[in-house]
Amino acid sequence: EIFSGLILDIGSGKGYLEEFLKKRNIDADIIGIDVEKPSDGLVASGNELPFKGNSFDRIVCIDSIHLVSSNDFRRVLKKGGLVLFTLFFNQENYSSKKKLIEEKLSGFEILSSTTVKGKENEYMVLARK
């Protein structure tokens, strides 16, 4: 299950992921970080994560990974841990957004990737370290 173990939510903002899971009765142990005061988390940058190495079982980053220039998420993710990255896109930037995620996850096992088109287009990738 993607939402088991200790989860880091990079760019958690107002806690939409936690709210989404609670509405579905999914009890998850999530630590959210954001550069601005998140609703229920820590003020921190995804570039320099304030955690020990191998601290997290899962990392989720919804439409924020393009704002993170480092790959420090690799350091804090346990071996075998899962990453779920998503980015919103439009027709002009789809290729560059997809490439950005694929480069960030270089060396990871891609378990699933999908493109969702609708009111907001989104590219999503689930990968294992």
Side-chain angles (χ1 to χ4, degrees), residues 69-87:
S69 59
S70 82
N71 286 330
D72 198 34
F73 71 91
R74 292 172 176 263
R75 179 183 63 80
V76 301
L77 183 64
K78 293 177 181 177
K79 183 177 180 178
L82 297 177
V83 172
L84 176 64
F85 286 167
T86 76
L87 280 176

Side-chain angles (χ1 to χ4, degrees), residues 2-61:
I2 182 86
F3 297 111
S4 63
L6 184 59
I7 302 166
L8 174 61
D9 182 4
I10 298 174
S12 61
K14 296 181 180 181
Y16 296 116
L17 175 62
E18 293 87 340
E19 183 180 318
F20 175 85
L21 295 175
K22 284 180 186 177
K23 284 182 180 178
R24 284 150 184 83
N25 295 317
I26 298 172
D27 186 28
D29 190 8
I30 300 175
I31 296 176
I33 65 158
D34 205 298
V35 293
E36 296 184 12
K37 179 65 178 135
S39 66
D40 187 22
L42 304 171
V43 175
S45 167
N47 291 314
E48 295 180 42
L49 297 166
F51 307 106
K52 294 180 181 179
N54 303 307
S55 297
F56 294 91
D57 302 289
R58 311 282 188 256
I59 295 178
V60 175
C61 188

Side-chain angles (χ1 to χ4, degrees), residues 44-129:
S45 167
N47 291 314
E48 295 180 42
L49 297 166
F51 307 106
K52 294 180 181 179
N54 303 307
S55 297
F56 294 91
D57 302 289
R58 311 282 188 256
I59 295 178
V60 175
C61 188
I62 299 171
D63 199 40
S64 297
I65 198 62
H66 62 290
L67 303 172
V68 178
S69 59
S70 82
N71 286 330
D72 198 34
F73 71 91
R74 292 172 176 263
R75 179 183 63 80
V76 301
L77 183 64
K78 293 177 181 177
K79 183 177 180 178
L82 297 177
V83 172
L84 176 64
F85 286 167
T86 76
L87 280 176
F88 295 115
F89 69 90
N90 58 43
Q91 295 306 338
E92 291 78 39
N93 65 15
Y94 172 73
S95 294
S96 64
K97 298 277 183 138
K98 183 177 178 186
K99 182 179 179 184
L100 184 146
I101 288 180
E102 290 169 350
E103 287 175 352
K104 287 277 184 194
L105 295 174
S106 174
F108 280 57
E109 175 189 4
I110 304 299
L111 302 174
S112 177
S113 66
T114 190
T115 302
V116 178
K117 293 186 177 184
K119 184 176 181 182
E120 292 183 325
N121 299 317
E122 190 168 11
Y123 178 63
M124 298 181 278
V125 176
L126 177 63
R128 182 184 320 277
K129 181 176 180 183

